[in-house]
Amino acid sequence: MTEKILIIEGMHCSGCVRSVTDALKRVPGVQNVEVSLPEKRAVVFFDETEPPFADLNTAVAEAGYTAYEYAPA
């Protein structure tokens, strides 16, 4: 399984984590999601076909939050 890390802005509580998790799990190709409130990030797991960032971003935006692709320094 491969992963993509997203930085999520706007989360403030466990309900926010649940909303982001549910939204990302609905994106085709996503197998699992781990969202961390303290780290303000989501790790999205997928198998062979990586979901486009635009699809992940749209799902997060529709849930009321903002996503950015993680770019290690």
Side-chain angles (χ1 to χ4, degrees):
M1 202 173 292
T2 307
E3 65 184 52
K4 178 184 283 265
I5 299 172
L6 305 176
I7 304 303
I8 309 293
E9 288 188 354
M11 296 191 302
H12 304 287
C13 65
S14 61
C16 297
V17 169
R18 193 171 322 113
S19 294
V20 171
T21 300
D22 292 345
L24 289 169
K25 283 185 174 180
R26 287 192 292 271
V27 175
V30 172
Q31 300 298 312
N32 195 22
V33 178
E34 294 176 4
V35 179
S36 170
L37 180 60
E39 295 177 4
K40 305 285 189 211
R41 73 177 193 169
V43 181
V44 180
F45 297 92
F46 50 92
D47 280 332
E48 294 138 25
T49 305
E50 180 177 346
F53 173 71
D55 293 352
L56 300 171
N57 187 40
T58 298
V60 171
E62 287 176 355
Y65 307 93
T66 305
Y68 299 97
E69 285 188 90
Y70 173 74

